[in-house]
Amino acid sequence: MKWKWRQLILGLSCLLLVIACNGLSHTSTISPNSGLKALKVATDPTFVPFEMKNVNSNLEGFDIDLMNAIAKVTGLTVQWESLPFDGMISTLQAKTVDAAISGITITAERQKTISFTRPYFKAGLAIAVRESNQDIQDFNSLQGKKIGVQIGSTGADFAKTIPNAKISTYNSGPDFFQDLLNGNVDAVVSDAFATLYAIKNGNLKGIKVVANLLTEEFYGIATPQDSPYIESINKGIATLLSNGTYQQIYQKWFNTHPPALPEKF
Ligand code: GLN
């Protein structure tokens, strides 16, 4: 009788051990596939209000909120990496980051070397001049003028099309606006939303934006070509557009309703 009890206890213990081991191996095999991978995402936090560093040096802005919300609904985690805008496309090509969100305009030229998600923001270029300037009103009045642009930006590409323009290139927005105020350039061609935001929030005194947009552009999240993440990021954007989160984030930073976005570029 005693012997049987011992056998029974031994048997049950073995069974428990097998169940426990199964449980363990189960969780360890499932976690790599559960999607909780840390996605390395590059951004250049000099582009208000899309990406900037607050007083505590933490990242904040429209793009930061959007990317973090995408991560939340897709089960990804984000590991942020600050990089200069000009180096972002080559970094994506080298695949040292998984994605970049930095107010990056989707262009056919860029699509030759990197991929983009669906458009997530409707944007465009505008001309900024000193408040006292009366003669620069549109594309034609930019001819022969001194123009400041950011290296590697769509504004820089645009400026190349202006006849006889003398182009100065800068590493980031804050630098060209300083030179505009100093009188070293006559105008700046850059993303309208960023400039308007800086003017409205008092960071840019003495500068105005010429009313009409020069271009219609769409920002996309950029990834290396053949990225395994582009599909889930796209699904994440779609979820945020349909569940109201996109609208909330837009409202938080721009105080207005977002315009409709095309599904594809
Ligand atoms: N949208 C512009 C571009 O893609 C500039 C973006 C930026 O300065 N972060 O070239």
Side-chain angles (χ1 to χ4, degrees), residues 195-212:
T195 312
L196 287 169
Y197 184 92
I199 292 173
K200 203 167 145 219
N201 290 279
N203 307 339
L204 266 189
K205 289 202 172 68
I207 287 175
K208 66 180 178 189
V209 166
V210 177
N212 288 335

Side-chain angles (χ1 to χ4, degrees), residues 127 136 138-147 155-167 186-187 189 214:
I127 304 167
I136 297 179
D138 53 17
F139 178 79
N140 287 333
S141 49
L142 287 173
Q143 293 192 26
K145 293 285 189 318
K146 285 185 271 181
I147 298 174
D157 293 338
F158 185 89
K160 286 178 200 149
T161 67
I162 303 165
N164 305 319
K166 296 170 204 70
I167 300 168
D186 305 310
V189 174
L214 298 169

Side-chain angles (χ1 to χ4, degrees), residues 2 58 76 78 81 88 114 127 130 167 194 211 234 240 262:
K2 244 187 181 172
N58 292 322
L76 296 161
V78 176
E81 207 155 299
M88 228 162 259
I114 55 170
I127 304 167
R130 286 180 295 281
I167 300 168
N234 271 331
L240 302 179

